[in-house]
Amino acid sequence: MGQAPGRLTQRDIARLAGVSQTTVSLVLNNRGDAGARIAPETRDRVLRVIRDTGYAADPLARRMLKQLNQILGVFTYEPVFPSTSADFYHPFLRGIEESAERSGCDLLLFTSAPVRDGQRRIFHENNRLRVADGCVLLGREIPSAELSRLVAEGYPFVCVGRRDDADGRPVPYVGADYVNATAQLVDRARACGHRRFAFVGPGTGAESSADRLAGFRRAVGTEAPFLSVGTPDPAERLARLLEAGVTAVFVEVEAEAVALAAAAASQGLSVPRDLSMVTLGDPTIPVDSSLDFTGFHIPRPQMGQQAVELLVDVLHGQTSVTQRLLGCELTHGETLGPPAS
Amino acid sequence: MGQAPGRLTQRDIARLAGVSQTTVSLVLNNRGDAGARIAPETRDRVLRVIRDTGYAADPLARRMLKQLNQILGVFTYEPVFPSTSADFYHPFLRGIEESAERSGCDLLLFTSAPVRDGQRRIFHENNRLRVADGCVLLGREIPSAELSRLVAEGYPFVCVGRRDDADGRPVPYVGADYVNATAQLVDRARACGHRRFAFVGPGTGAESSADRLAGFRRAVGTEAPFLSVGTPDPAERLARLLEAGVTAVFVEVEAEAVALAAAAASQGLSVPRDLSMVTLGDPTIPVDSSLDFTGFHIPRPQMGQQAVELLVDVLHGQTSVTQRLLGCELTHGETLGPPAS
DNA sequence: CCCCTGAAGTAATTCGCATTAGCACCTTGA
DNA sequence: TCAAGGTGCTAATGCGAATTACTTCAGGGG
């Protein structure tokens, strides 16, 4: 199936034109210069038959010889189209699609990877990774065991988002520079007059979380309060912050920033007058808040785009640099201002 | 030179397992029954190597021999991820992805199709349709020339959305029954007491437009006013409707319904008291309106889902019925009420 | 002892195309 | 007259996997 019964081949054309298959191929590829030449007369006869029959070369057969299939895999740890994951994946995918289009590649979504515990796994019984020439990996957190195996197998891939080394070997990625972005925001807060800062968020686990905390630590020193999400109650969290004399709080997840701001408001405190707040990246979960948070912008489409570019380069053996960090643009919101005192 | 780094072949597997390439192929395809059998011991050894190396057959080579690859193509006439086309494509794709996951297929997005005049083309120099086992086609309007060619070539495909025959041969599709949905809405309006109806929209071009008008005509008879989009000014359109004594207007595109309602409001007319309005399908362009329109709901995810199911059936030769129409659920909005008089 | 059968596996071929090597037929020039 | 060189074309090969048509070996029956 798939194959039309009467599909034409170069042999058919050759027979019709009274030449060999080789000649047809040569005519088609205009290889007059390279060694073999074709008499104009013959060439015209062949072209004529080709035109009359509407023959077109089978792209598969062509590709077979070139050894690259122009298929790039895209692996996501969840289905991409449901609206629950849409806000997270789509900006990346937009860049990926655009870049694939530019380099003439098709994208293979690994929907065949079975979902287990709400997550897909790259490596499973009968994994089909190698169907693609290489693969772009997408996900907030990627199990390091899977990365190790990919690296060990020498499979060409690029992660979207910075990744720690796997077994001491570098993992190819295109990431965003959360360390610097966060540090810059701290500097800006300091320039505003703030002296006591706090970080709210996991700060560990995914590289993206660790990097934010690292940037924060680098800029403020190590003694600043660090509150993990362990304290789920925004009111209590707020109380602890104020108790510690914090005037500027850096929140990893926008949803938590919103909750904290709400808690502040309910106590008659105003942002940023009584407490400055900074979020560390665009929301991945849609959040409606009237507040325009100060923070930074993650260049998601660019990350996707460059991930594909990097992968293509790797596939062509055209690069040795396999890690790229993109800068984040700071956003001037309304939640950072001079401290009250 | 172009060799994908580390791409394994059956020869590699064979060498590692100490067998011939034939044996590897036989093991992979479970052809123990057909003539050649493999000792369990050998089979395990081969499977072991395959699992250890993560080998997967080259889809192109397999397709050359007319085999299936568990790869379903998805062709869209525009990129799918930009937010401009998101609202239109995503609901379909959600169903497609889900269904593909269930049947263990991967999805190949044909991003390699070059965009020309803001639209992709299926058939172009080097089209790679045949990389996939079959293909789901997505788009409001699909050039009939492309459909004809697909049918003529015997390529397995399924359209999302009803399509007219191509050169007298049926085009496989999973569509929505706009004819009935529209007709039912007319009936409901009649039950409310309305007697003079109008249809606003192109009513021609894409099958989806034609079907809506057809349903409208069937239910009201042929003499009802039909206003094409030729008159772009909502106020003028409104005037003509009222002049014709129309009390219930059926609008194909929600955005135009909104404009019309706004025009009515600005003249002090209220919907539905002075004019009832019905929209014919969920908005494809995001529209913000406080009105909850009466109309119907297009089962987009189900369409995508069933399109994949149908395609899989076709690929396995398990069906002869290649056209399905799904019903649309009517929505009880607030824009249809009894006429004023 | 030889033929037959079944089991287990392999060599050879195929798909459609690009490429390489080489063949047969001219001209030349000496 | 013959090697040298050019011209115009074709046979053969390979890409990776599936399939067909063998081969090889062991055991059993006559």
Side-chain angles (χ1 to χ4, degrees):
Chain A
M1 24 200 109
Q3 172 68 297
R7 171 148 194 158
L8 289 164
T9 71
Q10 286 192 351
R11 268 233 310 270
D12 299 323
I13 304 299
R15 205 165 15 73
L16 290 172
V19 294
S20 72
Q21 175 261 321
T22 307
T23 304
V24 176
S25 174
L26 290 175
V27 167
L28 266 172
N29 296 285
N30 258 327
R31 287 319 216 61
D33 51 317
R37 38 235 102 203
I38 306 293
E41 198 185 311
T42 313
R43 152 189 237 78
D44 288 350
R45 191 150 32 93
V46 172
L47 284 176
R48 183 137 225 300
V49 176
I50 290 177
R51 221 159 287 154
D52 290 352
T53 54
Y55 166 84
D58 183 336
L60 293 201
R62 271 193 147 149
R63 265 287 143 210
M64 282 272 306
L65 303 172
K66 301 241 191 278
Q67 302 289 57
L68 275 184
N69 293 340
Q70 307 202 151
I71 296 178
L72 303 184
V74 176
F75 189 92
T76 59
Y77 277 86
E78 303 153 27
V80 298
F81 289 110
S83 44
T84 49
S85 48
D87 291 289
F88 178 67
Y89 285 121
H90 286 185
F92 295 120
L93 289 166
R94 197 162 86 219
I96 291 174
E97 184 180 27
E98 189 204 314
S99 196
E101 189 168 322
R102 258 215 302 273
S103 50
C105 289
D106 293 322
L107 291 179
L108 188 66
L109 303 187
F110 287 107
T111 36
S112 69
V115 175
R116 267 172 148 54
D117 317 320
Q119 254 210 182
R120 288 181 178 147
R121 292 270 145 203
I122 298 184
F123 291 104
H124 59 274
E125 205 67 0
N126 199 50
N127 91 77
R128 316 208 327 127
L129 220 49
R130 297 208 118 96
V131 170
D133 294 336
C135 185
V136 170
L137 257 54
L138 225 47
R140 223 186 75 83
E141 217 160 337
I142 301 183
S144 69
E146 307 225 271
L147 292 179
S148 296
R149 183 153 171 199
L150 285 171
V151 173
E153 287 187 4
Y155 182 82
F157 74 101
V158 172
C159 292
V160 174
R162 190 188 75 75
R163 301 293 154 190
D164 292 329
D165 287 0
D167 293 336
R169 302 175 65 179
V171 173
Y173 64 74
V174 174
D177 191 351
Y178 297 135
V179 177
N180 257 310
T182 304
Q184 282 176 35
L185 284 170
V186 172
D187 290 344
R188 186 182 285 180
R190 182 174 284 119
C192 273
H194 293 275
R195 289 300 173 264
R196 294 192 64 79
F197 312 95
F199 184 94
V200 170
T204 180
E207 285 87 347
S208 54
S209 294
D211 285 359
R212 287 171 168 105
L213 181 55
F216 178 79
R217 286 240 161 94
R218 195 186 76 192
V220 301
T222 51
E223 77 294 345
F226 160 58
L227 297 174
S228 88
V229 283
T231 312
D233 181 41
E236 188 184 338
R237 190 177 282 166
L238 179 65
R240 289 217 213 151
L241 289 169
L242 297 176
E243 200 175 304
V246 167
T247 60
V249 54
F250 293 74
V251 187
E252 184 177 333
V253 182
E254 178 149 336
E256 293 191 345
V258 171
L260 201 59
S266 77
Q267 295 193 20
L269 299 178
S270 115
V271 172
R273 214 159 40 81
D274 302 305
L275 180 68
S276 277
M277 297 187 62
V278 171
T279 55
L280 306 176
D282 320 289
T284 52
I285 322 171
V287 150
D288 60 315
S289 161
S290 50
L291 279 177
D292 175 19
F293 282 100
T294 297
F296 58 79
H297 183 65
I298 304 171
R300 285 192 243 260
Q302 288 86 334
M303 288 166 76
Q305 199 178 304
Q306 295 206 25
V308 169
E309 277 170 20
L310 180 55
L311 181 57
V312 169
D313 283 353
V314 167
L315 288 173
H316 290 52
Q318 284 173 358
T319 184
S320 48
V321 185
T322 60
Q323 305 190 326
R324 290 190 205 165
L325 268 192
L326 309 186
C328 298
E329 194 194 342
L330 303 193
T331 61
H332 297 253
E334 55 182 19
T335 58
L336 172 62
S341 78
Chain B
M1 60 181 112
Q3 173 70 287
R7 173 137 217 160
L8 292 162
T9 72
Q10 286 192 348
R11 269 232 309 269
D12 298 323
I13 305 299
R15 203 164 19 71
L16 290 172
V19 295
S20 71
Q21 177 261 322
T22 306
T23 303
V24 176
S25 174
L26 290 174
V27 166
L28 265 171
N29 297 284
N30 256 326
R31 287 322 212 63
D33 51 318
R37 51 231 101 191
I38 307 292
E41 199 189 318
T42 311
R43 155 192 233 77
D44 288 349
R45 192 152 30 95
V46 172
L47 284 176
R48 182 130 228 299
V49 175
I50 290 178
R51 219 161 288 155
D52 290 351
T53 54
Y55 167 84
D58 182 330
L60 269 64
R62 283 175 55 96
R63 290 295 295 166
M64 288 265 312
L65 299 165
K66 307 184 182 38
Q67 301 290 317
L68 296 184
N69 279 320
Q70 326 246 75
I71 294 180
L72 303 183
V74 176
F75 188 92
T76 59
Y77 277 86
E78 304 154 24
V80 298
F81 290 110
S83 45
T84 48
S85 47
D87 291 288
F88 179 66
Y89 284 121
H90 287 186
F92 295 121
L93 289 166
R94 200 163 81 220
I96 290 173
E97 186 181 26
E98 189 205 313
S99 195
E101 192 167 321
R102 258 217 301 275
S103 49
C105 289
D106 292 322
L107 289 178
L108 188 66
L109 302 187
F110 285 109
T111 36
S112 68
V115 174
R116 269 176 147 49
D117 317 321
Q119 256 210 180
R120 289 184 177 144
R121 292 271 146 203
I122 298 184
F123 291 103
H124 56 93
E125 199 78 353
N126 210 60
N127 92 77
R128 316 203 330 127
L129 225 46
R130 270 166 40 72
V131 174
D133 298 342
C135 186
V136 170
L137 257 56
L138 227 46
R140 223 186 75 82
E141 218 160 336
I142 301 183
S144 68
E146 307 225 90
L147 291 179
S148 296
R149 189 155 164 198
L150 285 172
V151 173
E153 287 193 4
Y155 183 84
F157 73 101
V158 172
C159 293
V160 174
R162 191 187 75 75
R163 301 293 154 191
D164 293 328
D165 288 359
D167 295 336
R169 300 176 65 180
V171 173
Y173 64 75
V174 174
D177 192 351
Y178 297 136
V179 177
N180 258 310
T182 305
Q184 282 175 34
L185 285 170
V186 172
D187 291 344
R188 186 181 286 180
R190 183 175 285 121
C192 273
H194 292 276
R195 291 298 174 268
R196 293 192 64 77
F197 313 94
F199 184 94
V200 170
T204 181
E207 286 85 348
S208 55
S209 295
D211 285 359
R212 286 171 169 103
L213 181 54
F216 178 79
R217 286 241 162 90
R218 194 187 76 190
V220 302
T222 51
E223 79 291 345
F226 160 58
L227 296 175
S228 89
V229 283
T231 313
D233 181 41
E236 188 182 338
R237 190 178 280 169
L238 179 65
R240 289 218 213 147
L241 289 170
L242 297 175
E243 200 175 305
V246 167
T247 60
V249 53
F250 292 73
V251 188
E252 185 177 331
V253 182
E254 178 151 336
E256 292 192 346
V258 170
L260 201 59
S266 77
Q267 295 194 18
L269 299 178
S270 113
V271 173
R273 218 163 32 86
D274 302 305
L275 180 67
S276 277
M277 297 187 62
V278 172
T279 55
L280 306 175
D282 320 288
T284 52
I285 322 170
V287 150
D288 60 315
S289 162
S290 49
L291 279 176
D292 173 20
F293 282 100
T294 298
F296 59 79
H297 184 65
I298 304 171
R300 285 191 244 259
Q302 289 86 333
M303 289 166 76
Q305 199 178 306
Q306 296 206 24
V308 169
E309 278 170 19
L310 180 56
L311 180 57
V312 169
D313 284 353
V314 167
L315 288 173
H316 291 49
Q318 285 173 358
T319 184
S320 48
V321 185
T322 60
Q323 305 190 326
R324 289 191 205 163
L325 269 192
L326 308 187
C328 297
E329 192 195 343
L330 303 193
T331 60
H332 297 255
E334 55 182 19
T335 59
L336 172 62
S341 79

